[in-house]
């Protein structure tokens, strides 16, 4: 396990894990997850390190070992993208590939839009055209996270997120605040302005992300990586995903 370190991002304590050697690549996890569950546990750190990279994984604000906040104004994806940029500043990294999964893919997109010079390539995992259309269900998930108990939650999606939050011992109120505030809109015009090479990696059974091809068609330099037989949760650590990402980076010489 790579121990967590912290830094200050505009007054917010943000945790991250840094393998410390190789070519840097930033990793941004999904909603209700953290750097360990999304990247360390599924062996991404091991895979990337063996390929000569320096994986650096942030715990998004409100998640993992980062500071928990309860003001909706603290959680727009655009704000969380600035945490990633400030982490790069903190570590002295001028430019690097950035890979985000689900909510992390949305955060990565905002980093591409707001600090394009910092992102050499983007990998959007677990988020296709719903980056533009929206995923929905935020209210249901927030209600489930705030319910008195898991047994009181009947909606299957809400119940799944509540059970996951309990399993990971997450701060459920911080997550509820985040899910209601983090879905900044991204337009088709925004996506068309993302000039960096971009890989869209989606499980073929993913019912959360939306189709990948329509998003790729909007990206000036996009390509699709379908992950066979996997859904939103099971695609994260899949071998096809890892091999596709390494091949993508290798083709770009990054």
């Amino acid at each position: 396990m790579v121990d967590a370190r912290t830094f200050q991002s505009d007054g917010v304590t943000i945790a991250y894990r840094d393998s410390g050697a190789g070519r840097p690549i930033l990793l941004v996890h999904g909603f209700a997850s953290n750097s360990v569950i999304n990247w360390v546990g599924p062996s991404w750190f091991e895979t990337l390190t063996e390929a000569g990279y320096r994986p650096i994984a942030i715990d998004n604000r409100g998640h993992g070992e980062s500071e928990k906040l309860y003001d909706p104004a603290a959680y727009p994806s655009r704000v969380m993208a600035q945490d990633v940029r400030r982490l790069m500043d903190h570590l002295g990294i001028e430019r690097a590939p950035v890979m985000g999964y689900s909510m992390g893919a949305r955060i990565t997109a905002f980093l591409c839009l707001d600090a394009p010079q910092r992102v050499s390539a983007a990998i959007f995992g677990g988020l296709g055209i719903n980056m533009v259309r929206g995923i929905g269900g935020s209210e249901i998930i927030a209600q489930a996270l705030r319910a008195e108990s898991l047994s009181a939650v009947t909606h299957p999606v809400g119940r799944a997120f509540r059970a996951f939050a309990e399993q990971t011992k997450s701060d459920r109120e911080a997550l509820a605040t985040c899910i209601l505030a983090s879905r900044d809109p991204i337009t088709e015009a925004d996506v068309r302005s993302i000039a960096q090479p971009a890989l869209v990696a989606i499980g073929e059974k993913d019912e959360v992300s939306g189709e990948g091809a329509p998003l790729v068609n909007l990206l000036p330099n996009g390509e699709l990586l379908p992950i066979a037989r996997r859904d939103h949760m099971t695609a994260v650590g899949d071998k096809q995903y890892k091999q596709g990402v390494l091949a993508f980076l290798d083709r770009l010489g990054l």
Side-chain angles (χ1 to χ4, degrees):
M1 173 72 73
V2 179
D3 291 336
R5 308 174 192 175
T6 62
F7 78 105
Q8 291 297 305
S9 177
D10 195 29
V12 178
T13 301
I14 298 294
Y16 66 96
R17 288 179 164 79
D18 181 357
S19 68
R23 293 161 286 169
I25 178 170
L26 278 292
L27 309 175
V28 190
H29 66 76
F31 174 73
S33 189
N34 57 54
S35 58
V36 173
I37 291 170
N38 215 142
W39 306 117
V40 178
S43 299
W44 271 104
F45 262 59
E46 181 181 356
T47 298
L48 290 166
T49 300
E50 288 178 354
Y53 292 95
R54 173 190 172 188
I56 302 160
I58 193 169
D59 274 352
N60 292 315
R61 52 178 60 200
H63 295 72
E65 297 183 44
S66 288
E67 187 174 346
K68 309 306 184 290
L69 306 163
Y70 308 100
D71 180 354
Y75 286 110
S77 297
R78 192 158 233 143
V79 172
M80 291 196 277
Q82 293 308 308
D83 291 334
V84 181
R85 179 188 60 77
R86 293 187 189 105
L87 175 56
M88 296 177 75
D89 291 344
H90 174 72
L91 297 174
I93 297 169
E94 278 298 316
R95 184 173 169 85
V98 182
M99 174 163 59
Y101 197 85
S102 195
M103 181 183 75
R106 179 176 293 276
I107 293 168
T108 300
F110 277 111
L111 187 63
C112 291
L113 293 169
D114 295 343
Q117 72 282 5
R118 309 301 294 273
V119 183
S120 58
I123 299 150
F124 301 129
L127 190 60
I129 194 58
N130 284 353
M131 179 184 289
V132 174
R133 296 175 182 167
I135 293 174
S138 298
E139 289 284 353
I140 290 169
I141 294 169
Q143 290 171 7
L145 290 166
R146 287 169 167 160
E148 290 186 6
S149 66
L150 176 61
S151 61
V153 181
T154 57
H155 193 284
V157 173
R159 187 176 177 84
F161 274 97
R162 172 59 181 262
F164 186 58
E166 290 189 1
Q167 177 188 346
T168 57
K169 298 181 172 59
S170 297
D171 184 320
R172 293 185 286 106
E173 181 57 32
L175 292 183
T177 306
C178 177
I179 193 68
L180 292 174
S182 63
R183 302 294 175 85
D184 295 12
I186 296 178
T187 67
E188 290 189 1
D190 289 332
V191 176
R192 290 192 180 98
S193 73
I194 296 175
Q196 296 92 337
L199 182 68
V200 178
I202 296 175
E204 290 183 338
K205 295 183 178 181
D206 191 333
E207 296 182 352
V208 174
S209 66
E211 293 182 7
L215 183 67
V216 170
N217 290 339
L218 294 174
L219 289 160
N221 295 294
E223 60 180 274
L224 181 63
L225 173 63
I227 306 168
R229 302 180 302 279
R230 298 297 188 182
D231 61 22
H232 194 69
M233 296 300 184
T234 58
V236 178
D238 190 90
K239 185 178 181 180
Q240 302 165 81
Y241 183 14
K242 293 171 184 170
Q243 290 176 338
V245 167
L246 292 179
F248 172 71
L249 294 172
D250 185 61
R251 287 195 300 273
L252 297 172
L254 298 175

